[in-house]
Amino acid sequence: ATAADWYPGVLVALFVIASGVTLLQVAANPLVAELGSRKGASSRLNLSQAFNSLGTTIGPWLGSHVLLTGGVFAAGAVVTAATRTQSLRSIDMAFLSMGAFFALIAVFIFTARKSINAAAPKTVGAAVSPFKALSSPWAIFGALAIFVYVGSEVAIGGMLTNFLESPDVLNAPIETAGKMVALYWGGAMVGRFLGSFLMRWVAPAKLLVGCTVAAGLLCLIVSQVGGPTAAYAALSIGLFNSIMFPTIFTLTLERSTAPTSATSGLLVFGIIGGALLPQVAARIADAAGQIAPAFIVPMLGYVALAVFAIACVRTRPANTDAAPTVAGH
């Protein structure tokens, strides 16, 4: 699409990639939850999601190095046909390389398909529609929590490069600011490995309460102060984001009275928050003329997530057959 210089084609291509990722999450998350004892479900899912975070840590650094250097992004560059073409060719090579990597993953999954099928929980009866999950208040509550979490996480990640580049924050070159975003996602990776370990002794719902409160306070700091303090507070949010997605996922599966497959489908549908809440944050930043006030959007999101987490602490799991439970609940 970039070779054809066709912007709508780029959007279609990104939509296809996002659809594939969503399908993988719908299938993989319940599978991970089922692979092992019930008491370790949240710990296992946090561990597997930590490797997702490894990719999101490397991605911004590598992407900034490949996409935000040379061409129209070179120091003192003027946007011309030549510099624009140079930048587009960098994008071409980056995505073609990713395509080759995805092909290798597909080969691996194909060769391991018998082991995966043997480990997967056996389905009974006809296929279940995701709309079945609408009959369970906890499935809806969990989907809203995923909506708010992903929207908040993506809003922060999307604003960080421009935020760190701002003169009243770090005044960093755009390539440097882009690479620093890796610290945000790296914090999520470290937090998931740490969270997977801590959940052997701390109830996941209680750990979720602490992380949501900490993330909300950091957003408040970012919105009220400037300079390096705001920069490093924003980057630190990633550490507390770490356990949220997998923990919300397993806590909801435990409490939902709908079939596990239907609940999982509704939960993953909630990631559409990553497309909507960043738009709200962007409009606030545009209206204010600076990015810091837009952190009020994820701050309110973390307040809502704290309410979800407290409700999980106060409510015992209901779906102990279809989904694993966690020690301490």
Side-chain angles (χ1 to χ4, degrees):
T2 43
D5 198 8
W6 187 41
Y7 179 65
V10 173
L11 296 181
V12 171
L14 291 174
F15 178 84
V16 172
I17 293 171
S19 298
V21 171
T22 300
L23 290 171
L24 285 173
Q25 293 224 42
V26 170
N29 287 341
L31 177 64
V32 171
E34 291 284 353
L35 295 179
S37 63
R38 292 178 174 181
K39 69 179 183 179
S42 289
S43 177
R44 277 195 306 280
L45 195 53
N46 269 283
L47 181 61
S48 68
Q49 290 278 326
F51 291 95
N52 281 2
S53 298
L54 175 62
T56 54
T57 301
I58 296 172
W61 186 92
L62 187 61
S64 296
H65 182 71
V66 173
L67 304 179
L68 299 181
T69 57
V72 298
F73 297 105
V78 178
V79 179
T80 64
T83 57
R84 189 167 176 273
T85 298
Q86 182 183 349
S87 293
L88 288 175
R89 295 299 74 78
S90 296
I91 295 171
D92 291 346
M93 292 307 300
F95 276 86
L96 288 172
S97 298
M98 282 190 282
F101 178 74
F102 290 146
L104 290 175
I105 295 297
V107 170
F108 168 76
I109 293 175
F110 181 77
T111 56
R113 65 192 185 282
K114 291 184 179 179
S115 299
I116 294 172
N117 287 336
K122 301 297 183 290
T123 56
V124 180
V128 178
S129 167
F131 291 108
K132 279 280 188 181
L134 297 177
S135 64
S136 169
W138 267 103
I140 297 171
F141 197 10
L144 290 173
I146 292 290
F147 177 95
V148 170
Y149 162 69
V150 176
S152 300
E153 179 192 50
V154 173
I156 295 169
M159 294 188 291
L160 268 180
T161 299
N162 290 337
F163 180 68
L164 298 174
E165 183 195 18
S166 300
D168 57 342
V169 182
L170 289 183
N171 197 27
I174 189 168
E175 180 188 356
T176 302
K179 288 181 177 179
M180 288 185 72
V181 176
L183 296 174
Y184 173 71
W185 300 109
M189 177 184 66
V190 171
R192 281 174 176 167
F193 281 120
L194 182 61
S196 178
F197 176 75
L198 289 176
M199 284 179 189
R200 299 179 182 181
W201 298 281
V202 181
K206 293 180 179 178
L207 197 58
L208 184 62
V209 172
C211 287
T212 53
V213 171
L217 289 174
L218 287 169
C219 285
L220 180 62
I221 291 171
V222 173
S223 69
Q224 299 300 314
V225 304
T229 300
Y232 294 114
L235 291 170
S236 299
I237 296 170
L239 177 66
F240 297 99
N241 275 343
S242 56
I243 69 159
M244 293 189 193
F245 183 94
T247 305
I248 292 169
F249 203 96
T250 51
L251 290 175
T252 304
L253 288 181
E254 291 171 1
R255 287 158 178 77
S256 173
T257 54
T260 300
S261 59
T263 303
S264 176
L266 185 63
L267 288 173
V268 176
F269 179 75
I271 67 175
I272 196 173
L276 300 179
L277 290 189
Q279 298 290 328
V280 178
R283 291 181 181 275
I284 292 174
D286 287 344
Q290 54 181 325
I291 298 173
F295 275 80
I296 292 295
V297 173
M299 186 196 77
L300 294 175
Y302 293 124
V303 170
L305 291 172
V307 172
F308 172 85
I310 293 169
C312 288
V313 171
R314 296 169 62 87
T315 306
R316 294 183 60 83
N319 197 6
T320 55
D321 294 325
T325 58
V326 181
H329 283 190

PDB file of all heavy atoms in Angstrom, residues 42-75:
ATOM      1  N   SER A  42      -4.094 -16.981  36.649  1.00  0.00           N
ATOM      2  CA  SER A  42      -3.685 -15.583  36.489  1.00  0.00           C
ATOM      3  C   SER A  42      -2.173 -15.465  36.368  1.00  0.00           C
ATOM      4  O   SER A  42      -1.654 -14.668  35.579  1.00  0.00           O
ATOM      5  CB  SER A  42      -4.173 -14.733  37.679  1.00  0.00           C
ATOM      6  OG  SER A  42      -5.572 -14.563  37.621  1.00  0.00           O
ATOM      7  N   SER A  43      -1.451 -16.272  37.138  1.00  0.00           N
ATOM      8  CA  SER A  43       0.008 -16.248  37.076  1.00  0.00           C
ATOM      9  C   SER A  43       0.495 -16.665  35.698  1.00  0.00           C
ATOM     10  O   SER A  43       1.391 -16.038  35.121  1.00  0.00           O
ATOM     11  CB  SER A  43       0.582 -17.175  38.147  1.00  0.00           C
ATOM     12  OG  SER A  43       1.987 -17.222  38.061  1.00  0.00           O
ATOM     13  N   ARG A  44      -0.098 -17.734  35.132  1.00  0.00           N
ATOM     14  CA  ARG A  44       0.313 -18.214  33.792  1.00  0.00           C
ATOM     15  C   ARG A  44       0.023 -17.183  32.726  1.00  0.00           C
ATOM     16  O   ARG A  44       0.844 -16.959  31.823  1.00  0.00           O
ATOM     17  CB  ARG A  44      -0.410 -19.521  33.455  1.00  0.00           C
ATOM     18  CG  ARG A  44       0.213 -20.749  34.030  1.00  0.00           C
ATOM     19  CD  ARG A  44      -0.330 -22.013  33.366  1.00  0.00           C
ATOM     20  NE  ARG A  44      -1.776 -22.099  33.413  1.00  0.00           N
ATOM     21  CZ  ARG A  44      -2.459 -22.506  34.481  1.00  0.00           C
ATOM     22  NH1 ARG A  44      -1.827 -22.836  35.591  1.00  0.00           N
ATOM     23  NH2 ARG A  44      -3.769 -22.579  34.445  1.00  0.00           N
ATOM     24  N   LEU A  45      -1.145 -16.572  32.791  1.00  0.00           N
ATOM     25  CA  LEU A  45      -1.504 -15.614  31.750  1.00  0.00           C
ATOM     26  C   LEU A  45      -0.621 -14.367  31.843  1.00  0.00           C
ATOM     27  O   LEU A  45      -0.239 -13.792  30.824  1.00  0.00           O
ATOM     28  CB  LEU A  45      -2.989 -15.242  31.851  1.00  0.00           C
ATOM     29  CG  LEU A  45      -3.588 -14.544  30.620  1.00  0.00           C
ATOM     30  CD1 LEU A  45      -3.324 -15.344  29.348  1.00  0.00           C
ATOM     31  CD2 LEU A  45      -5.080 -14.342  30.803  1.00  0.00           C
ATOM     32  N   ASN A  46      -0.281 -13.960  33.055  1.00  0.00           N
ATOM     33  CA  ASN A  46       0.648 -12.832  33.203  1.00  0.00           C
ATOM     34  C   ASN A  46       2.014 -13.187  32.630  1.00  0.00           C
ATOM     35  O   ASN A  46       2.675 -12.362  32.001  1.00  0.00           O
ATOM     36  CB  ASN A  46       0.782 -12.435  34.680  1.00  0.00           C
ATOM     37  CG  ASN A  46      -0.226 -11.377  35.084  1.00  0.00           C
ATOM     38  OD1 ASN A  46      -0.067 -10.206  34.772  1.00  0.00           O
ATOM     39  ND2 ASN A  46      -1.290 -11.809  35.753  1.00  0.00           N
ATOM     40  N   LEU A  47       2.459 -14.418  32.847  1.00  0.00           N
ATOM     41  CA  LEU A  47       3.762 -14.842  32.322  1.00  0.00           C
ATOM     42  C   LEU A  47       3.761 -14.834  30.798  1.00  0.00           C
ATOM     43  O   LEU A  47       4.697 -14.334  30.162  1.00  0.00           O
ATOM     44  CB  LEU A  47       4.102 -16.236  32.844  1.00  0.00           C
ATOM     45  CG  LEU A  47       5.458 -16.800  32.391  1.00  0.00           C
ATOM     46  CD1 LEU A  47       6.600 -15.922  32.880  1.00  0.00           C
ATOM     47  CD2 LEU A  47       5.627 -18.233  32.888  1.00  0.00           C
ATOM     48  N   SER A  48       2.703 -15.373  30.197  1.00  0.00           N
ATOM     49  CA  SER A  48       2.649 -15.394  28.732  1.00  0.00           C
ATOM     50  C   SER A  48       2.537 -13.986  28.161  1.00  0.00           C
ATOM     51  O   SER A  48       3.155 -13.666  27.132  1.00  0.00           O
ATOM     52  CB  SER A  48       1.480 -16.267  28.247  1.00  0.00           C
ATOM     53  OG  SER A  48       0.239 -15.676  28.564  1.00  0.00           O
ATOM     54  N   GLN A  49       1.773 -13.132  28.845  1.00  0.00           N
ATOM     55  CA  GLN A  49       1.631 -11.755  28.372  1.00  0.00           C
ATOM     56  C   GLN A  49       2.937 -10.970  28.536  1.00  0.00           C
ATOM     57  O   GLN A  49       3.161  -9.975  27.853  1.00  0.00           O
ATOM     58  CB  GLN A  49       0.512 -11.054  29.141  1.00  0.00           C
ATOM     59  CG  GLN A  49      -0.883 -11.557  28.828  1.00  0.00           C
ATOM     60  CD  GLN A  49      -1.468 -10.961  27.570  1.00  0.00           C
ATOM     61  OE1 GLN A  49      -1.218  -9.818  27.236  1.00  0.00           O
ATOM     62  NE2 GLN A  49      -2.239 -11.747  26.847  1.00  0.00           N
ATOM     63  N   ALA A  50       3.815 -11.422  29.437  1.00  0.00           N
ATOM     64  CA  ALA A  50       5.113 -10.760  29.592  1.00  0.00           C
ATOM     65  C   ALA A  50       5.915 -10.836  28.301  1.00  0.00           C
ATOM     66  O   ALA A  50       6.665  -9.917  27.957  1.00  0.00           O
ATOM     67  CB  ALA A  50       5.893 -11.393  30.745  1.00  0.00           C
ATOM     68  N   PHE A  51       5.749 -11.936  27.565  1.00  0.00           N
ATOM     69  CA  PHE A  51       6.464 -12.064  26.295  1.00  0.00           C
ATOM     70  C   PHE A  51       5.840 -11.175  25.211  1.00  0.00           C
ATOM     71  O   PHE A  51       6.519 -10.736  24.294  1.00  0.00           O
ATOM     72  CB  PHE A  51       6.522 -13.532  25.868  1.00  0.00           C
ATOM     73  CG  PHE A  51       7.412 -14.344  26.755  1.00  0.00           C
ATOM     74  CD1 PHE A  51       6.889 -15.053  27.822  1.00  0.00           C
ATOM     75  CD2 PHE A  51       8.780 -14.365  26.549  1.00  0.00           C
ATOM     76  CE1 PHE A  51       7.712 -15.784  28.668  1.00  0.00           C
ATOM     77  CE2 PHE A  51       9.612 -15.094  27.387  1.00  0.00           C
ATOM     78  CZ  PHE A  51       9.082 -15.806  28.450  1.00  0.00           C
ATOM     79  N   ASN A  52       4.538 -10.896  25.338  1.00  0.00           N
ATOM     80  CA  ASN A  52       3.931  -9.854  24.490  1.00  0.00           C
ATOM     81  C   ASN A  52       4.638  -8.530  24.744  1.00  0.00           C
ATOM     82  O   ASN A  52       4.968  -7.784  23.819  1.00  0.00           O
ATOM     83  CB  ASN A  52       2.444  -9.679  24.826  1.00  0.00           C
ATOM     84  CG  ASN A  52       1.575 -10.746  24.211  1.00  0.00           C
ATOM     85  OD1 ASN A  52       2.054 -11.650  23.555  1.00  0.00           O
ATOM     86  ND2 ASN A  52       0.284 -10.651  24.437  1.00  0.00           N
ATOM     87  N   SER A  53       4.861  -8.254  26.032  1.00  0.00           N
ATOM     88  CA  SER A  53       5.490  -6.984  26.395  1.00  0.00           C
ATOM     89  C   SER A  53       6.936  -6.910  25.929  1.00  0.00           C
ATOM     90  O   SER A  53       7.458  -5.817  25.688  1.00  0.00           O
ATOM     91  CB  SER A  53       5.426  -6.782  27.917  1.00  0.00           C
ATOM     92  OG  SER A  53       4.086  -6.721  28.344  1.00  0.00           O
ATOM     93  N   LEU A  54       7.609  -8.057  25.820  1.00  0.00           N
ATOM     94  CA  LEU A  54       8.960  -8.054  25.267  1.00  0.00           C
ATOM     95  C   LEU A  54       8.934  -7.494  23.843  1.00  0.00           C
ATOM     96  O   LEU A  54       9.775  -6.682  23.461  1.00  0.00           O
ATOM     97  CB  LEU A  54       9.538  -9.473  25.268  1.00  0.00           C
ATOM     98  CG  LEU A  54      10.909  -9.648  24.617  1.00  0.00           C
ATOM     99  CD1 LEU A  54      11.953  -8.825  25.350  1.00  0.00           C
ATOM    100  CD2 LEU A  54      11.307 -11.125  24.593  1.00  0.00           C
ATOM    101  N   GLY A  55       7.912  -7.907  23.080  1.00  0.00           N
ATOM    102  CA  GLY A  55       7.774  -7.383  21.717  1.00  0.00           C
ATOM    103  C   GLY A  55       7.446  -5.905  21.701  1.00  0.00           C
ATOM    104  O   GLY A  55       8.004  -5.149  20.886  1.00  0.00           O
ATOM    105  N   THR A  56       6.571  -5.466  22.608  1.00  0.00           N
ATOM    106  CA  THR A  56       6.207  -4.044  22.617  1.00  0.00           C
ATOM    107  C   THR A  56       7.327  -3.182  23.186  1.00  0.00           C
ATOM    108  O   THR A  56       7.329  -1.967  22.986  1.00  0.00           O
ATOM    109  CB  THR A  56       4.919  -3.800  23.439  1.00  0.00           C
ATOM    110  OG1 THR A  56       5.075  -4.341  24.744  1.00  0.00           O
ATOM    111  CG2 THR A  56       3.716  -4.440  22.758  1.00  0.00           C
ATOM    112  N   THR A  57       8.283  -3.808  23.887  1.00  0.00           N
ATOM    113  CA  THR A  57       9.456  -3.072  24.354  1.00  0.00           C
ATOM    114  C   THR A  57      10.454  -2.873  23.221  1.00  0.00           C
ATOM    115  O   THR A  57      10.989  -1.779  23.012  1.00  0.00           O
ATOM    116  CB  THR A  57      10.136  -3.819  25.523  1.00  0.00           C
ATOM    117  OG1 THR A  57       9.205  -3.959  26.583  1.00  0.00           O
ATOM    118  CG2 THR A  57      11.359  -3.064  26.019  1.00  0.00           C
ATOM    119  N   ILE A  58      10.708  -3.933  22.486  1.00  0.00           N
ATOM    120  CA  ILE A  58      11.654  -3.862  21.367  1.00  0.00           C
ATOM    121  C   ILE A  58      11.078  -3.040  20.227  1.00  0.00           C
ATOM    122  O   ILE A  58      11.780  -2.279  19.555  1.00  0.00           O
ATOM    123  CB  ILE A  58      12.005  -5.281  20.883  1.00  0.00           C
ATOM    124  CG1 ILE A  58      12.735  -6.050  21.992  1.00  0.00           C
ATOM    125  CG2 ILE A  58      12.862  -5.232  19.621  1.00  0.00           C
ATOM    126  CD1 ILE A  58      12.946  -7.511  21.677  1.00  0.00           C
ATOM    127  N   GLY A  59       9.751  -3.158  20.013  1.00  0.00           N
ATOM    128  CA  GLY A  59       9.101  -2.526  18.865  1.00  0.00           C
ATOM    129  C   GLY A  59       9.311  -1.027  18.757  1.00  0.00           C
ATOM    130  O   GLY A  59       9.770  -0.537  17.716  1.00  0.00           O
ATOM    131  N   PRO A  60       8.988  -0.241  19.814  1.00  0.00           N
ATOM    132  CA  PRO A  60       9.178   1.212  19.696  1.00  0.00           C
ATOM    133  C   PRO A  60      10.631   1.616  19.441  1.00  0.00           C
ATOM    134  O   PRO A  60      10.903   2.538  18.669  1.00  0.00           O
ATOM    135  CB  PRO A  60       8.684   1.743  21.047  1.00  0.00           C
ATOM    136  CG  PRO A  60       7.739   0.714  21.529  1.00  0.00           C
ATOM    137  CD  PRO A  60       8.301  -0.593  21.057  1.00  0.00           C
ATOM    138  N   TRP A  61      11.577   0.937  20.097  1.00  0.00           N
ATOM    139  CA  TRP A  61      12.992   1.269  19.896  1.00  0.00           C
ATOM    140  C   TRP A  61      13.397   0.981  18.459  1.00  0.00           C
ATOM    141  O   TRP A  61      13.983   1.828  17.779  1.00  0.00           O
ATOM    142  CB  TRP A  61      13.870   0.481  20.860  1.00  0.00           C
ATOM    143  CG  TRP A  61      15.311   0.907  20.785  1.00  0.00           C
ATOM    144  CD1 TRP A  61      15.928   1.864  21.536  1.00  0.00           C
ATOM    145  CD2 TRP A  61      16.302   0.400  19.875  1.00  0.00           C
ATOM    146  NE1 TRP A  61      17.251   1.987  21.163  1.00  0.00           N
ATOM    147  CE2 TRP A  61      17.509   1.106  20.145  1.00  0.00           C
ATOM    148  CE3 TRP A  61      16.299  -0.571  18.883  1.00  0.00           C
ATOM    149  CZ2 TRP A  61      18.689   0.864  19.449  1.00  0.00           C
ATOM    150  CZ3 TRP A  61      17.474  -0.813  18.177  1.00  0.00           C
ATOM    151  CH2 TRP A  61      18.649  -0.095  18.466  1.00  0.00           C
ATOM    152  N   LEU A  62      13.056  -0.222  17.994  1.00  0.00           N
ATOM    153  CA  LEU A  62      13.433  -0.593  16.635  1.00  0.00           C
ATOM    154  C   LEU A  62      12.671   0.243  15.617  1.00  0.00           C
ATOM    155  O   LEU A  62      13.238   0.707  14.613  1.00  0.00           O
ATOM    156  CB  LEU A  62      13.146  -2.089  16.417  1.00  0.00           C
ATOM    157  CG  LEU A  62      13.623  -2.699  15.101  1.00  0.00           C
ATOM    158  CD1 LEU A  62      15.136  -2.571  14.983  1.00  0.00           C
ATOM    159  CD2 LEU A  62      13.223  -4.175  15.029  1.00  0.00           C
ATOM    160  N   GLY A  63      11.374   0.463  15.880  1.00  0.00           N
ATOM    161  CA  GLY A  63      10.570   1.261  14.961  1.00  0.00           C
ATOM    162  C   GLY A  63      11.074   2.684  14.844  1.00  0.00           C
ATOM    163  O   GLY A  63      11.136   3.248  13.750  1.00  0.00           O
ATOM    164  N   SER A  64      11.463   3.278  15.975  1.00  0.00           N
ATOM    165  CA  SER A  64      11.996   4.641  15.944  1.00  0.00           C
ATOM    166  C   SER A  64      13.302   4.693  15.156  1.00  0.00           C
ATOM    167  O   SER A  64      13.559   5.633  14.404  1.00  0.00           O
ATOM    168  CB  SER A  64      12.231   5.151  17.369  1.00  0.00           C
ATOM    169  OG  SER A  64      11.023   5.235  18.070  1.00  0.00           O
ATOM    170  N   HIS A  65      14.138   3.663  15.335  1.00  0.00           N
ATOM    171  CA  HIS A  65      15.420   3.627  14.634  1.00  0.00           C
ATOM    172  C   HIS A  65      15.223   3.493  13.128  1.00  0.00           C
ATOM    173  O   HIS A  65      15.942   4.103  12.336  1.00  0.00           O
ATOM    174  CB  HIS A  65      16.255   2.460  15.164  1.00  0.00           C
ATOM    175  CG  HIS A  65      17.604   2.352  14.539  1.00  0.00           C
ATOM    176  ND1 HIS A  65      18.620   3.257  14.810  1.00  0.00           N
ATOM    177  CD2 HIS A  65      18.101   1.468  13.631  1.00  0.00           C
ATOM    178  CE1 HIS A  65      19.691   2.920  14.101  1.00  0.00           C
ATOM    179  NE2 HIS A  65      19.404   1.837  13.389  1.00  0.00           N
ATOM    180  N   VAL A  66      14.219   2.694  12.741  1.00  0.00           N
ATOM    181  CA  VAL A  66      13.999   2.441  11.312  1.00  0.00           C
ATOM    182  C   VAL A  66      13.123   3.515  10.671  1.00  0.00           C
ATOM    183  O   VAL A  66      13.403   3.988   9.566  1.00  0.00           O
ATOM    184  CB  VAL A  66      13.361   1.047  11.108  1.00  0.00           C
ATOM    185  CG1 VAL A  66      12.970   0.836   9.646  1.00  0.00           C
ATOM    186  CG2 VAL A  66      14.318  -0.043  11.565  1.00  0.00           C
ATOM    187  N   LEU A  67      12.040   3.915  11.369  1.00  0.00           N
ATOM    188  CA  LEU A  67      11.018   4.759  10.750  1.00  0.00           C
ATOM    189  C   LEU A  67      11.213   6.251  11.001  1.00  0.00           C
ATOM    190  O   LEU A  67      10.756   7.066  10.192  1.00  0.00           O
ATOM    191  CB  LEU A  67       9.631   4.343  11.255  1.00  0.00           C
ATOM    192  CG  LEU A  67       9.253   2.875  11.044  1.00  0.00           C
ATOM    193  CD1 LEU A  67       7.874   2.611  11.623  1.00  0.00           C
ATOM    194  CD2 LEU A  67       9.295   2.490   9.574  1.00  0.00           C
ATOM    195  N   LEU A  68      11.843   6.615  12.090  1.00  0.00           N
ATOM    196  CA  LEU A  68      11.931   8.038  12.452  1.00  0.00           C
ATOM    197  C   LEU A  68      13.326   8.614  12.234  1.00  0.00           C
ATOM    198  O   LEU A  68      13.708   9.603  12.859  1.00  0.00           O
ATOM    199  CB  LEU A  68      11.505   8.240  13.913  1.00  0.00           C
ATOM    200  CG  LEU A  68      10.076   7.837  14.259  1.00  0.00           C
ATOM    201  CD1 LEU A  68       9.776   8.108  15.719  1.00  0.00           C
ATOM    202  CD2 LEU A  68       9.072   8.557  13.367  1.00  0.00           C
ATOM    203  N   THR A  69      14.093   7.994  11.366  1.00  0.00           N
ATOM    204  CA  THR A  69      15.410   8.524  10.992  1.00  0.00           C
ATOM    205  C   THR A  69      15.489   8.650   9.477  1.00  0.00           C
ATOM    206  O   THR A  69      14.882   7.864   8.754  1.00  0.00           O
ATOM    207  CB  THR A  69      16.549   7.613  11.481  1.00  0.00           C
ATOM    208  OG1 THR A  69      16.358   6.291  10.952  1.00  0.00           O
ATOM    209  CG2 THR A  69      16.583   7.542  12.998  1.00  0.00           C
ATOM    210  N   GLY A  70      16.238   9.638   9.005  1.00  0.00           N
ATOM    211  CA  GLY A  70      16.385   9.837   7.562  1.00  0.00           C
ATOM    212  C   GLY A  70      15.106  10.323   6.911  1.00  0.00           C
ATOM    213  O   GLY A  70      14.054  10.462   7.540  1.00  0.00           O
ATOM    214  N   GLY A  71      15.184  10.617   5.636  1.00  0.00           N
ATOM    215  CA  GLY A  71      14.015  11.073   4.897  1.00  0.00           C
ATOM    216  C   GLY A  71      13.436  12.338   5.488  1.00  0.00           C
ATOM    217  O   GLY A  71      14.161  13.274   5.826  1.00  0.00           O
ATOM    218  N   VAL A  72      12.136  12.360   5.655  1.00  0.00           N
ATOM    219  CA  VAL A  72      11.465  13.565   6.169  1.00  0.00           C
ATOM    220  C   VAL A  72      11.784  13.812   7.638  1.00  0.00           C
ATOM    221  O   VAL A  72      11.505  14.892   8.162  1.00  0.00           O
ATOM    222  CB  VAL A  72       9.936  13.467   5.970  1.00  0.00           C
ATOM    223  CG1 VAL A  72       9.582  13.363   4.501  1.00  0.00           C
ATOM    224  CG2 VAL A  72       9.361  12.276   6.740  1.00  0.00           C
ATOM    225  N   PHE A  73      12.362  12.794   8.342  1.00  0.00           N
ATOM    226  CA  PHE A  73      12.651  12.939   9.768  1.00  0.00           C
ATOM    227  C   PHE A  73      14.098  13.333  10.036  1.00  0.00           C
ATOM    228  O   PHE A  73      14.486  13.489  11.197  1.00  0.00           O
ATOM    229  CB  PHE A  73      12.332  11.634  10.512  1.00  0.00           C
ATOM    230  CG  PHE A  73      10.874  11.255  10.465  1.00  0.00           C
ATOM    231  CD1 PHE A  73      10.436  10.223   9.644  1.00  0.00           C
ATOM    232  CD2 PHE A  73       9.945  11.941  11.218  1.00  0.00           C
ATOM    233  CE1 PHE A  73       9.106   9.882   9.592  1.00  0.00           C
ATOM    234  CE2 PHE A  73       8.602  11.603  11.180  1.00  0.00           C
ATOM    235  CZ  PHE A  73       8.174  10.576  10.355  1.00  0.00           C
ATOM    236  N   ALA A  74      14.913  13.462   9.000  1.00  0.00           N
ATOM    237  CA  ALA A  74      16.305  13.857   9.196  1.00  0.00           C
ATOM    238  C   ALA A  74      16.368  15.291   9.719  1.00  0.00           C
ATOM    239  O   ALA A  74      15.477  16.113   9.460  1.00  0.00           O
ATOM    240  CB  ALA A  74      17.078  13.736   7.886  1.00  0.00           C
ATOM    241  N   ALA A  75      17.412  15.580  10.486  1.00  0.00           N
ATOM    242  CA  ALA A  75      17.570  16.923  11.044  1.00  0.00           C
ATOM    243  C   ALA A  75      17.623  17.953   9.933  1.00  0.00           C
ATOM    244  O   ALA A  75      18.413  17.838   8.997  1.00  0.00           O
ATOM    245  CB  ALA A  75      18.841  16.989  11.892  1.00  0.00           C
TER     246      ALA A  75
END
